[in-house]
Amino acid sequence: MSLIYSEVQPENNAPNGFSDNQTISFVIKGDGMKMVKNSMRLDFDLEVAKTFVSAGGANTLLLPADKVGVNNRIGAHAFLSECMIETQSLGVLETISDYNRVANVLSAATMSEDQYYTQSAQAEGRQSCVEAARYAVQQVAPNAMVQARVPGGGLPGATFAERLTNINLMVTNDLLGTTDAAATAKVSPAQFSLKPYCCLNRAIGDDVSLSKTGFIRVEFTLSRAQVALMGGECDANCGYTLKNPRLRYLAYPDNGKQGKVMMNTVVSLRSTANSQFHNVQARVPLQNASGVVLSYIDQARARDTREDSLALEQYPSLDRLEFLFSDNNQKYIQYPVEDKETMVRLGVQAMSDSGLHQATLNRVEANQGTIHGLSFQSFIDLTKQKFSVQLTSSSPNMATSPVDLHLMFLGMLEL
């Protein structure tokens, strides 16, 4: 089997790039080809501006000392707010709203500290700390200019001491906020290669026959800058431009057969809690749901441009969490939980039972996140019932400090 490396340009490509709330649409066509499951990547160049005018406008780009960055656990995934997958034969397969928060939940539960240093994580802009995530979105200097920061420091034949001096100077300048020739010559945009958390990248079974599905449309809606960006100097004037987006995937000649393709999926919903007792009730468009995961953030912090709007915060003074739903035998289930550690363990179990076997309680805690949830222990059709979650808090400040509650329903699709 010979693999073909394929690349697709957006059908709505914009010469000046894309910014807040705009949609990038790709169409994969390849009659007679099979797309390799889990091989899709989104590549793009990024320019982040301290003062943003418009895509292609006279924007003031970030300098090394500017305290503006992204959530370090998800890197450039922060710039995507929605992902939609559609096929010609089946219509819309998946729509993930609040995509960047979904990415943070999945990352917090599955990634260890060591994984942030891998090449795949670095390609996505993931970093081990918040400070490093500032530099990840800044422009970069040409290699020749970086090598010239210290005479002989990066040139062929340089001694180890000269190279070490070069590195120390770069770090010192960045920490002090001072600049040198290379820092002021940062003229190349940051480049990223993401593996989106979409159903086509979370599949098992056969590969996808494009002859059977027809075209596949993949759309990404970009996040508001005030959600994607964060930092002590981040304000309403900050913005970004996403340029030269490409969708890449692997393919090979179709063998004329299409076996089952089972794909993990996510349906995300949002609610606002502003009282000590909060009830969320929703009919979820997911026929094979395996579990639900909850994350929270203070509403004021979620709207503060300086704060991390994707943070996985604790629910204030949560005393009781209760899930109410019916199983496939129409048996009504009430599942109350009062122990706080059990709430987190159940959330981790929900993800583990949904194919995220790397999810552990230790990783959630190490990534400074709070995740609650419940595994259904089987697949349940939520389209024919109303699913309810009830939260009881003893905090007296719920009315004045409401909390945004994000529900992430996990499930399975079959192609």
Side-chain angles (χ1 to χ4, degrees):
M1 180 179 67
S2 58
L3 291 176
I4 299 174
Y5 291 79
S6 304
E7 181 175 294
V8 180
Q9 302 292 324
E11 64 174 1
N12 62 334
N13 208 358
N16 292 326
F18 300 85
S19 58
D20 295 40
N21 300 318
Q22 292 186 313
T23 297
I24 308 173
S25 180
F26 300 92
V27 177
I28 298 174
K29 298 178 181 178
D31 194 17
M33 302 297 292
K34 264 193 168 181
M35 183 174 71
V36 177
K37 63 183 180 295
N38 308 326
S39 69
M40 183 187 301
R41 300 197 71 89
L42 174 65
D43 296 356
F44 56 85
D45 303 337
L46 181 74
E47 292 181 348
V48 178
K50 185 73 177 294
T51 303
F52 180 79
V53 178
S54 64
N59 304 317
T60 304
L61 302 182
L62 293 180
L63 294 175
D66 289 334
K67 293 179 172 56
V68 177
V70 293
N71 180 298
N72 62 290
R73 287 182 293 274
I74 62 173
H77 286 278
F79 296 99
L80 307 180
S81 68
E82 185 174 288
C83 175
M84 188 276 291
I85 306 294
E86 176 188 7
T87 69
Q88 185 177 2
S89 60
L90 298 175
V92 176
L93 291 180
E94 176 183 61
T95 301
I96 304 178
S97 56
D98 289 326
Y99 170 91
N100 38 18
R101 173 165 285 271
V102 169
N104 196 20
V105 170
L106 299 181
S107 299
T110 60
M111 291 192 67
S112 65
E113 183 178 357
D114 291 343
Q115 288 177 290
Y116 291 106
Y117 298 98
T118 62
Q119 290 183 341
S120 58
Q122 292 293 303
E124 297 187 338
R126 301 178 192 262
Q127 305 294 329
S128 60
C129 64
V130 175
E131 279 297 299
R134 290 200 296 113
Y135 299 107
V137 298
Q138 295 177 5
Q139 286 190 299
V140 297
N143 288 336
M145 183 63 75
V146 174
Q147 292 171 347
R149 296 179 88 166
V150 175
L155 299 178
T159 66
F160 175 79
E162 289 174 327
R163 294 179 187 274
L164 184 61
T165 301
N166 185 19
I167 294 172
N168 288 336
L169 177 61
M170 293 166 64
V171 173
T172 301
N173 282 336
D174 289 340
L175 290 176
L176 295 178
T178 58
T179 59
D180 54 20
T184 57
K186 290 187 174 183
V187 295
S188 299
Q191 297 180 326
F192 298 97
S193 178
L194 307 182
K195 185 175 182 179
Y197 288 103
C198 63
C199 59
L200 295 175
N201 272 345
R202 302 179 62 212
I204 58 174
D206 199 5
D207 294 320
V208 180
S209 171
L210 298 175
S211 300
K212 304 293 184 182
T213 63
F215 68 76
I216 298 178
R217 183 182 301 276
V218 182
E219 288 188 353
F220 299 99
T221 302
L222 301 186
S223 176
R224 291 188 301 111
Q226 285 68 37
V227 173
L229 300 174
M230 55 175 281
E233 296 178 1
C234 186
D235 56 30
N237 295 317
C238 293
Y240 67 91
T241 304
L242 192 150
K243 295 184 174 182
N244 194 26
R246 297 90 67 197
L247 193 71
R248 294 190 294 113
Y249 62 93
L250 297 176
Y252 59 89
D254 199 338
N255 57 10
K257 301 177 182 179
Q258 177 62 77
K260 282 189 176 182
V261 185
M262 306 302 295
M263 303 176 292
N264 290 290
T265 188
V266 172
V267 175
S268 181
L269 303 175
R270 183 189 306 179
S271 180
T272 299
N274 54 12
S275 63
Q276 291 182 323
F277 177 79
H278 183 65
N279 179 48
V280 182
Q281 192 174 69
R283 194 179 297 274
V284 184
L286 188 57
Q287 291 185 328
N288 294 300
S290 60
V292 62
V293 173
L294 288 72
S295 67
Y296 322 98
I297 185 169
D298 179 88
Q299 191 176 82
R301 282 193 290 274
R303 287 154 176 73
D304 189 332
T305 57
R306 298 165 299 178
E307 300 288 345
D308 180 8
S309 299
L310 307 175
L312 309 176
E313 298 182 346
Q314 295 187 16
Y315 195 89
S317 303
L318 182 60
D319 299 322
R320 180 184 174 94
L321 179 63
E322 186 168 7
F323 302 91
L324 303 95
F325 59 97
S326 297
D327 63 15
N328 286 335
N329 296 319
Q330 300 303 312
K331 179 182 178 181
Y332 190 66
I333 297 174
Q334 291 179 275
Y335 199 106
V337 188
E338 295 184 350
D339 180 72
K340 289 180 172 58
E341 183 173 334
T342 301
M343 294 177 187
V344 180
R345 289 188 180 276
L346 290 174
V348 172
Q349 182 185 356
M351 286 187 282
S352 179
D353 290 350
S354 297
L356 294 164
H357 304 301
Q358 310 95 325
T360 67
L361 178 61
N362 288 340
R363 288 177 176 176
V364 172
E365 292 176 347
N367 285 308
Q368 301 177 342
T370 297
I371 299 171
H372 297 156
L374 183 70
S375 171
F376 301 153
Q377 306 295 320
S378 63
F379 291 110
I380 296 176
D381 187 354
L382 295 180
T383 64
K384 299 178 180 179
Q385 61 173 295
K386 288 186 177 181
F387 185 93
S388 295
V389 181
Q390 296 179 351
L391 301 95
T392 304
S393 168
S394 55
S395 171
N397 302 318
M398 294 299 295
T400 56
S401 301
V403 175
D404 284 344
L405 166 66
H406 297 262
L407 294 88
M408 194 174 96
F409 291 90
L410 310 170
M412 186 72 74
L413 300 173
E414 180 179 338
L415 187 60

